Amino acid sequence: MTDLAPPSPLRPSSDPAPAARLAVSAQARGTPATDLAGVHAWYRDAGRRAYTHVERVELDALTGWRRDPATGDIGHHSGRFFTIHGLDVHLPAAPIPRWHQPIIDQPEVGILGLLVKDIDGVPHLLMQAKVEPGNRNGLQFSPTVQATRSNYTRVHRGRPVPYLDYFRDTDRHRVLADVRQSEQGAWFHRKRNRNLVVEVNEDVEVLDGFRWLTLGQVHELLAEEDLVNMDARTVLSCLPFTGPALPADGDGFRLALLRSCSGDAGSLHPTSEILSWITRMRTMTDVHTRRVPLDGLPGWRRTPERITHQDGLYFDVIGVSVRAGGREVNEWTQPMIAPRATGVIAFLVSRIGGVLHVLVHARAEPGYHDVVELAPTVQGTPATYDALPAEARPRYLDTVLTARPGQIRFDAILSEEGGRFYHARNRYLIVETAPDTRAHPPDYRWLTVHQLAGLLRHSHYLNVQARSLVACLHSLAAAP
Amino acid sequence: MTDLAPPSPLRPSSDPAPAARLAVSAQARGTPATDLAGVHAWYRDAGRRAYTHVERVELDALTGWRRDPATGDIGHHSGRFFTIHGLDVHLPAAPIPRWHQPIIDQPEVGILGLLVKDIDGVPHLLMQAKVEPGNRNGLQFSPTVQATRSNYTRVHRGRPVPYLDYFRDTDRHRVLADVRQSEQGAWFHRKRNRNLVVEVNEDVEVLDGFRWLTLGQVHELLAEEDLVNMDARTVLSCLPFTGPALPADGDGFRLALLRSCSGDAGSLHPTSEILSWITRMRTMTDVHTRRVPLDGLPGWRRTPERITHQDGLYFDVIGVSVRAGGREVNEWTQPMIAPRATGVIAFLVSRIGGVLHVLVHARAEPGYHDVVELAPTVQGTPATYDALPAEARPRYLDTVLTARPGQIRFDAILSEEGGRFYHARNRYLIVETAPDTRAHPPDYRWLTVHQLAGLLRHSHYLNVQARSLVACLHSLAAAP
């Protein structure tokens, strides 16, 4: 068939062009046209014109929200948005095999949409400077659109979401990524959002609070504290990304990363083995969850201000009153999840045969749609483990916390979703270790970035923390 | 990187060798060594030594099963096996937007395992001649292993399942396919089985009731009425299959099918568009189900002999008493689902640009794990639609039923799973139509066989009826 050109109605089943063009965009940084000084000035200016005032209020003082008299569950009067109820979790094989916790139930699939457009031959991403009540610093860079399904289907009226039509009618444009992905499985019960990247050719009006950035610029912002929000990071991770062409020489780490992105150099495990491993982990892991009333949840106490664990661990459920301003002023109240401490989220990476591999963990969380997802090597809150049995301490946590500076390839404090989580911050790390292909625990595997990218074309393989780290890994592929 | 051989620990991420060897096995038919006469003689002999006597009994006469006094739900005394309860289904966009029905709840993920081994340079499949109470004809060809998770994890004692260890410890062998797939979403609530194909090099003892067959022989058996069971068909569909090399000339249909299997010639839609379409269908389709008591299920009546729909449509829940014999004798009773009529399950296929494409339907069923799966072009029971509103009649049903003989590429009556379904038979058809790439309804798309194979490496994309038809399509790839 190789000498036969495809007849007219046919197109190649896979198209490497978008990844190649995005590699050009990832390299576009540090030139006069892409200098970040202007972006920072614009961000500071946007911060002066858009603000949030957030005050803690008592849970029973939340206007528009009601506490169910029978269960104590907290829900909106309209039945919309989300509910907080209790969950009884049974994970027989885990160090802590059973617990109860509050959890957010938000069954709608929303949209996280990113618009891409060529400007002077370089693809640019339309980023938004968006305020969220849970952001410690107010504004963060978010994707073009963050919309609920109610916005999306126009079931109810309300202010139209700017640029939403590009993501409602995708047939008119080129779709670069379109996949449903989970969010925090420890805090959300089966929440997932549609991550959608759409490339347009037509003129796009740039509204106040929006700005075209190259992928390289966004990658630079990613290294700054609390600047690129979780919704942006998850969408970035789903972009087709193979990295720029291999340089003739250069930094050994970067070369190994580029080989890992391209996939041509192979991998420690063929992809069929990785898929089989995921199937086995999802088949053999037992997770049982049962919705229970928030009132009387074992181990948790309710005060007027918060619902809190008896040991002061994990997180609180709190109430906030929000006044957000920009072009228009909005006021509302809502419950939020407020973690008790900053977590650590880390990939261990290693050059194996000259190709960078990432050690991923097949992790069960109560809120996952399908038992287990691939998580970072380390994901946890060190302050919590001091109070728990030693076997609950995450494997590799101390490897990450005691890494020498030369091993640390990425290190930034980043925020989780500011619409539901209050000051939820994690230290995201990429730490290089010596090659070690010896037998690893059965729930860990070394994968290449190319293999992670293949999984990210499908839903529910990588958890939101791993997706953030994939975006961070991509950011290391550009020439320094 | 192309001039750099992969360093030692690395292997190619994808390996085309298993598919090439299976293509050799698919071509192995019709030679003296692969003549089916011996297989048929062996099958008849096995049928003389293994038998089932199945008698209908009253539902309350099922030994070991109990009817829950509060709900009427039927479950086993041990809490194992499965339960039949009621389901309230709400599918707002469907022609019949709401209904109630009994449904089987069997939450365990079992194993359908197929053993593959080279014999004289040709891969062979270890097939079992297995009796099931729901089989009209007793014995059918099944995969090497059909095991529940309780068998698999050895939670309880019992006779060991032959060959199970090959599928419990896959690290010692080469895994050709390993994926969890749904079963009938109209009759099972979130049932899924792990479809596992393992290739071994070591000697394997062939037990009574088992026989090595080439893929080509199994493909020939597939064309015979009620001979290759559903469990075998679904595992066959998950085999890596690219078909034999393209012949220099030959039947235009077969050439188009081989091009479709190989993927080199392209497709009407790039795979990224197909994945985006699936994401959109899964995001935009509403399915709400709620477990309700079997007693008092609206529209259904309970008599001592059966639970039946008031219009005599769909299916009955019945009780059977089984005496099965072979090397050992087993007696038991159980409830079963007995459909009221034979269904039609069909792919419309078309040569588009010289490449065979299959028209698949994004179909919602109440029992699916994830909203929508890809289904055959037509899937339904004609006798039912005469009693339903005209808009409930499946699109393309009449196209299939009025096809001229020359259009019909495959046509065989095949059985559904005989362990749960009583005399459940469908007419499986592959019908060729003229190329028509005009706008199709939004829930249908033309895919190549190569694209279907890519989806079958992952869980829950193709429903069990579509998987059966994929196995049937593969069977048409061998030279006549």
Side-chain angles (χ1 to χ4, degrees):
Chain A
M1 285 303 301
T2 47
D3 58 340
L4 179 67
S8 63
L10 301 184
R11 294 147 71 188
S13 296
S14 68
D15 179 4
R21 284 185 292 113
L22 285 166
V24 171
S25 185
Q27 289 291 95
R29 54 161 83 170
T31 69
T34 62
D35 190 84
L36 276 190
V39 175
H40 279 292
W42 173 83
Y43 170 76
R44 280 192 303 273
D45 181 57
R48 274 190 290 273
R49 286 177 297 121
Y51 61 88
T52 47
H53 293 302
V54 182
E55 271 176 48
R56 301 276 295 259
V57 296
E58 294 193 355
L59 286 167
D60 284 336
L62 295 175
T63 319
W65 296 80
R66 76 189 272 274
R67 174 174 167 174
D68 184 285
T71 60
D73 296 353
I74 302 169
H76 197 258
H77 275 294
S78 66
R80 288 175 45 219
F81 303 114
F82 61 92
T83 305
I84 300 180
H85 58 72
L87 201 70
D88 174 6
V89 183
H90 196 197
L91 243 166
I96 297 175
R98 185 157 191 180
W99 69 87
H100 295 79
Q101 65 165 89
I103 200 157
I104 301 175
D105 195 350
Q106 184 175 357
E108 284 197 346
V109 179
I111 281 199
L112 305 179
L114 183 61
L115 212 56
V116 175
K117 181 178 155 57
D118 254 34
I119 300 176
D120 297 332
V122 178
H124 281 64
L125 320 179
L126 189 58
M127 303 297 290
Q128 178 180 12
K130 188 173 171 65
V131 291
E132 294 279 15
N135 291 350
R136 243 170 50 136
N137 56 342
L139 275 186
Q140 296 192 15
F141 285 87
S142 84
T144 321
V145 162
Q146 298 179 197
T148 65
R149 188 167 188 268
S150 308
N151 292 139
Y152 182 40
T153 54
R154 297 264 166 91
V155 169
H156 58 87
R157 278 166 306 205
R159 272 190 300 170
V161 175
Y163 305 108
L164 183 59
D165 282 343
Y166 290 106
F167 303 97
R168 285 162 44 91
D169 178 13
T170 54
D171 284 344
R172 291 172 44 237
H173 312 292
R174 183 205 284 256
V175 175
L176 301 186
D178 188 359
V179 76
R180 291 159 313 146
Q181 299 291 11
S182 72
E183 299 195 354
Q184 283 76 3
W187 298 338
F188 276 124
H189 197 226
R190 306 203 170 168
K191 165 90 180 290
R192 41 192 183 172
N193 271 322
R194 186 173 172 194
N195 288 234
L196 192 42
V197 182
V198 168
E199 188 174 22
V200 294
N201 292 316
E202 64 201 45
D203 282 343
V204 176
E205 184 193 3
V206 178
L207 301 174
D208 191 31
F210 292 82
R211 188 179 171 107
W212 289 111
L213 298 178
T214 67
L215 182 53
Q217 289 177 310
V218 176
H219 280 163
E220 283 191 87
L221 296 174
L222 202 48
E224 296 188 38
E225 184 165 328
D226 281 339
L227 215 47
V228 176
N229 79 359
M230 185 198 85
D231 304 272
R233 299 194 304 269
T234 171
V235 179
L236 290 171
S237 76
C238 298
L239 281 172
F241 188 85
T242 49
L246 287 178
D249 57 6
D251 177 352
F253 175 83
R254 186 169 165 256
L255 210 56
L257 172 58
L258 292 178
R259 285 197 196 105
S260 185
C261 290
S262 90
D264 293 338
S267 47
L268 186 62
H269 303 284
T271 299
S272 59
E273 278 186 21
I274 296 298
L275 293 172
S276 177
W277 168 66
I278 295 170
T279 294
R280 185 164 73 244
M281 294 305 300
R282 284 182 160 168
T283 307
M284 302 309 292
T285 306
D286 281 318
V287 186
H288 305 289
T289 60
R290 195 168 55 90
R291 180 176 175 157
V292 294
L294 198 52
D295 274 351
L297 197 63
W300 295 78
R301 286 191 310 224
R302 185 167 193 144
T303 68
E305 291 80 21
R306 60 170 61 89
I307 298 168
T308 189
H309 190 260
Q310 62 190 11
D311 300 330
L313 297 174
Y314 312 116
F315 60 84
D316 297 345
V317 177
I318 63 167
V320 296
S321 167
V322 186
R323 199 154 64 87
R327 283 177 306 167
E328 299 174 51
V329 174
N330 256 316
E331 292 189 71
W332 74 90
T333 66
Q334 68 171 90
M336 300 193 89
I337 295 269
R340 301 285 296 196
T342 299
V344 169
I345 291 172
F347 270 155
L348 281 184
V349 300
S350 187
R351 293 176 226 178
I352 300 174
V355 174
L356 201 72
H357 282 66
V358 177
L359 189 60
V360 298
H361 177 212
R363 180 183 174 98
E365 292 189 5
Y368 288 154
H369 193 76
D370 199 2
V371 190
V372 155
E373 296 192 8
L374 302 191
T377 325
V378 172
Q379 176 186 322
T381 307
T384 302
Y385 301 111
D386 299 337
L388 294 180
E391 60 270 25
R393 193 165 180 85
R395 204 184 288 260
Y396 305 112
L397 175 59
D398 295 318
T399 311
V400 165
L401 294 180
T402 60
R404 297 185 316 278
Q407 291 178 265
I408 298 175
R409 297 292 179 171
F410 184 94
D411 186 359
I413 302 268
L414 301 173
S415 298
E416 305 308 315
E417 220 275 289
R420 299 289 173 269
F421 309 129
Y422 184 80
H423 297 187
R425 302 161 80 231
N426 286 294
R427 185 176 169 203
Y428 282 84
L429 286 154
I430 296 173
V431 172
E432 190 175 8
T433 65
D436 179 1
T437 59
R438 284 171 305 180
H440 32 59
D443 46 344
Y444 291 80
R445 281 291 183 284
W446 290 107
L447 270 69
T448 63
V449 178
H450 180 75
Q451 289 177 319
L452 293 172
L455 295 174
L456 280 166
R457 298 187 72 195
H458 303 276
S459 298
H460 308 145
Y461 276 121
L462 265 70
N463 79 355
V464 66
Q465 293 87 353
R467 297 200 305 278
S468 272
L469 282 172
V470 165
C472 299
L473 256 178
H474 289 172
S475 77
L476 304 178
Chain B
M1 283 304 301
T2 46
D3 58 338
L4 179 66
S8 64
L10 300 185
R11 294 148 71 188
S13 296
S14 69
D15 178 5
R21 283 185 293 114
L22 285 167
V24 171
S25 186
Q27 288 292 94
R29 53 161 86 170
T31 69
T34 62
D35 189 83
L36 277 190
V39 175
H40 279 291
W42 173 83
Y43 169 78
R44 282 191 303 272
D45 182 58
R48 274 190 291 272
R49 287 177 297 123
Y51 61 90
T52 46
H53 294 302
V54 181
E55 271 176 47
R56 301 276 295 260
V57 296
E58 294 193 355
L59 286 168
D60 284 336
L62 295 175
T63 319
W65 295 81
R66 75 189 272 275
R67 174 174 169 176
D68 185 284
T71 60
D73 296 354
I74 301 169
H76 196 257
H77 275 293
S78 66
R80 286 173 48 218
F81 305 114
F82 61 92
T83 304
I84 300 180
H85 59 72
L87 201 70
D88 173 7
V89 183
H90 195 197
L91 244 165
I96 298 175
R98 186 158 190 180
W99 71 88
H100 295 79
Q101 66 166 88
I103 200 156
I104 301 177
D105 194 351
Q106 184 175 357
E108 283 197 347
V109 179
I111 282 199
L112 306 178
L114 183 62
L115 212 56
V116 175
K117 181 177 155 57
D118 253 35
I119 300 175
D120 298 331
V122 178
H124 281 64
L125 320 179
L126 189 59
M127 303 297 291
Q128 179 180 11
K130 189 173 172 66
V131 291
E132 296 278 15
N135 291 351
R136 243 171 50 136
N137 56 340
L139 276 186
Q140 295 193 14
F141 285 87
S142 83
T144 320
V145 162
Q146 297 179 196
T148 65
R149 187 166 189 270
S150 308
N151 292 140
Y152 183 40
T153 55
R154 297 264 166 91
V155 169
H156 59 86
R157 279 166 307 203
R159 272 190 301 171
V161 175
Y163 305 108
L164 183 59
D165 282 344
Y166 290 106
F167 303 96
R168 285 161 44 90
D169 178 13
T170 53
D171 284 345
R172 290 170 46 237
H173 311 290
R174 184 206 283 256
V175 175
L176 301 186
D178 188 359
V179 77
R180 292 158 313 145
Q181 299 291 12
S182 71
E183 298 193 356
Q184 284 75 2
W187 298 338
F188 277 124
H189 196 226
R190 306 205 169 165
K191 166 89 179 294
R192 41 192 183 171
N193 270 323
R194 186 174 171 192
N195 288 234
L196 192 42
V197 182
V198 168
E199 187 174 22
V200 294
N201 292 317
E202 65 202 44
D203 282 343
V204 175
E205 185 194 1
V206 177
L207 300 174
D208 191 33
F210 292 82
R211 189 179 172 106
W212 290 112
L213 298 179
T214 66
L215 182 54
Q217 289 176 309
V218 176
H219 281 164
E220 282 191 88
L221 296 173
L222 203 47
E224 297 188 38
E225 183 164 329
D226 282 338
L227 214 47
V228 176
N229 80 0
M230 184 198 86
D231 304 275
R233 300 194 303 269
T234 170
V235 179
L236 290 171
S237 76
C238 298
L239 281 172
F241 188 86
T242 49
L246 287 178
D249 56 6
D251 178 350
F253 175 83
R254 184 168 167 256
L255 211 57
L257 172 58
L258 293 177
R259 285 198 196 104
S260 186
C261 290
S262 90
D264 293 339
S267 46
L268 186 61
H269 303 283
T271 299
S272 59
E273 278 186 21
I274 297 299
L275 293 172
S276 176
W277 169 65
I278 295 169
T279 294
R280 185 164 74 244
M281 294 306 300
R282 285 182 160 169
T283 308
M284 302 309 292
T285 306
D286 281 317
V287 186
H288 305 289
T289 60
R290 194 168 56 91
R291 181 176 174 158
V292 294
L294 197 52
D295 273 353
L297 198 62
W300 295 77
R301 285 192 310 222
R302 185 167 192 143
T303 69
E305 291 79 21
R306 59 171 62 90
I307 299 168
T308 190
H309 191 262
Q310 63 190 13
D311 301 331
L313 297 175
Y314 313 115
F315 61 83
D316 296 346
V317 178
I318 64 166
V320 297
S321 166
V322 186
R323 198 155 64 87
R327 283 177 306 166
E328 300 174 52
V329 174
N330 257 316
E331 293 190 70
W332 73 91
T333 65
Q334 67 171 91
M336 299 193 89
I337 296 269
R340 301 284 298 198
T342 299
V344 169
I345 291 173
F347 270 155
L348 280 185
V349 300
S350 187
R351 293 176 227 178
I352 300 174
V355 174
L356 201 72
H357 282 66
V358 177
L359 189 60
V360 299
H361 178 212
R363 179 183 174 98
E365 292 189 5
Y368 288 154
H369 192 75
D370 200 3
V371 189
V372 155
E373 296 193 6
L374 301 191
T377 325
V378 171
Q379 176 187 322
T381 307
T384 303
Y385 301 110
D386 298 338
L388 294 180
E391 61 270 26
R393 193 165 181 85
R395 202 185 290 258
Y396 305 113
L397 174 59
D398 295 318
T399 312
V400 165
L401 294 180
T402 60
R404 297 185 316 277
Q407 293 178 263
I408 298 175
R409 297 291 178 170
F410 185 94
D411 186 359
I413 302 268
L414 302 173
S415 297
E416 305 308 315
E417 220 274 289
R420 299 288 173 270
F421 310 129
Y422 184 80
H423 297 187
R425 304 162 79 230
N426 286 294
R427 184 176 170 203
Y428 283 83
L429 285 155
I430 296 174
V431 172
E432 189 174 10
T433 64
D436 179 2
T437 59
R438 284 171 305 179
H440 32 58
D443 45 343
Y444 291 80
R445 281 288 183 285
W446 290 106
L447 270 69
T448 63
V449 180
H450 180 74
Q451 289 178 318
L452 293 173
L455 295 175
L456 280 166
R457 298 186 73 195
H458 303 275
S459 298
H460 308 144
Y461 276 122
L462 263 70
N463 78 354
V464 67
Q465 293 87 353
R467 297 200 306 278
S468 271
L469 282 173
V470 166
C472 299
L473 256 178
H474 289 173
S475 78
L476 304 179

